[in-house]
Amino acid sequence: MAIVMLAAGCKKNSANEETTSSTSKNEAPSNARASTNVQFSGYTWTIRNTGTATEGPGPNVFNGSNAWVDANGWLHLKITKNTATGKWNCAEIYSTQNFGYGTYQWQVEGAIGSFDKNIVLGLFNYSGRDGFDEMDIEFARWGNSAWPNLNYTVWPASGRSNWEYTKEFSLSGTYTTHRFKRSANSVVFKSLGGFYNDDTNLFASATCSSPANSISTAGMPIHMNLWLYDGNAPSDGKEVEVIIHNFTYTAG
């Protein structure tokens, strides 16, 4: 059963930590390490690389080699184990461009409905203000196999209460489409089985519209990350890979 709730904080620990940690004075060297760019879906993205250091979310090691674009123009995000260090390495990219009101859509290939309880895939925008200005689509159980695996979250422009929707889902295939439409008064989330630009095979939908002033007006970068909750290794000990075939943004 889907659950819609107002909460003081999200279960993740979190995508919000990321910019806070990477832009603080003590983390300046890690920000400099994240300097490799890649072209994907018509935009320029920075591939995050923390070297051997761990940073949020997680904390985790983010390895620049774990995110790449193949000859088809598809983005690969991978969680791997470094056999030399024994550490698990995660992946993240973020856009060099800011985006505002409009429709954000991802077409994803991967077994996102059967992730290990410690795996998190995030598709979101974020201004850099911890606890504010963020809209998330996340596939995660947050370390608890009994919790729902689909999470939509909106962090407010002001105030400390975020909006959240969760739902359990399963897939018959590995192709899915996920989108949110952001306007001044609402954020409308949708998830579909297969690759579609309409609402064919819709399996989840939710709208954040109360209060309207919780919707951020800020232009923000897009982030895509694949990481480990609390920095814990996959409980099944398996590496994970997700392929994002495309990202599209339509203003308005």
Side-chain angles (χ1 to χ4, degrees):
M1 177 178 291
I3 302 169
V4 183
M5 59 184 175
L6 288 172
C10 184
K11 288 184 289 293
K12 64 180 182 178
N13 72 324
S14 74
N16 297 313
E17 287 181 310
E18 169 210 326
T19 303
T20 301
S21 64
S22 63
T23 57
S24 68
K25 181 177 180 181
N26 291 337
E27 296 294 345
S30 68
N31 194 42
R33 287 194 296 269
S35 58
T36 301
N37 288 341
V38 65
Q39 300 299 310
F40 172 63
S41 288
Y43 300 101
T44 302
W45 309 78
T46 298
I47 300 177
R48 191 174 177 196
N49 183 9
T50 65
T52 59
T54 57
E55 298 177 358
N60 287 288
V61 173
F62 289 86
N63 189 328
S65 298
N66 284 18
W68 72 94
V69 174
D70 65 22
N72 295 310
W74 302 341
L75 172 68
H76 295 245
L77 300 174
K78 193 168 185 179
I79 293 176
T80 60
K81 186 175 184 179
N82 185 323
T83 55
T85 64
K87 292 184 177 181
W88 288 83
N89 291 187
C90 300
E92 179 168 356
I93 70 169
Y94 50 92
S95 65
T96 59
Q97 178 177 331
N98 290 339
F99 299 84
Y101 296 146
T103 301
Y104 301 68
Q105 177 174 285
W106 294 262
Q107 293 186 328
V108 179
E109 178 183 354
I112 60 174
S114 56
F115 274 169
D116 180 84
K117 66 179 182 178
N118 292 329
I119 302 295
V120 183
L121 171 64
L123 312 170
F124 59 103
N125 60 7
Y126 175 44
S127 71
R129 289 203 306 153
D130 187 29
F132 301 96
D133 303 329
E134 186 174 351
M135 294 118 200
D136 301 294
I137 301 174
E138 292 166 305
F139 309 94
R141 297 190 187 276
W142 313 113
N144 187 329
S145 58
W147 285 355
N149 55 356
L150 174 62
N151 306 262
Y152 300 150
T153 309
V154 175
W155 291 88
S158 60
R160 293 299 300 180
S161 292
N162 68 299
W163 172 95
E164 185 176 11
Y165 169 96
T166 66
K167 181 176 182 177
E168 178 70 24
F169 76 98
S170 60
L171 298 174
S172 57
T174 57
Y175 283 15
T176 52
T177 301
H178 309 276
R179 72 176 74 103
F180 63 79
K181 183 175 182 179
R182 173 187 169 201
S183 68
N185 297 315
S186 67
V187 182
V188 180
F189 295 87
K190 295 182 179 181
S191 292
L192 309 94
F195 289 171
Y196 297 101
N197 295 320
D198 56 17
D199 287 351
T200 301
N201 292 338
L202 183 73
F203 66 81
S205 179
T207 299
C208 172
S209 58
S210 178
N213 63 8
S214 69
I215 309 301
S216 176
T217 63
M220 297 180 273
I222 293 294
H223 292 247
M224 295 177 253
N225 57 18
L226 187 64
W227 52 283
L228 294 164
Y229 179 68
D230 272 347
N232 293 324
S235 62
D236 60 8
K238 295 180 180 179
E239 297 185 347
V240 177
E241 184 173 356
V242 170
I243 303 171
I244 301 176
H245 284 230
N246 63 69
F247 163 76
T248 58
Y249 168 74
T250 306

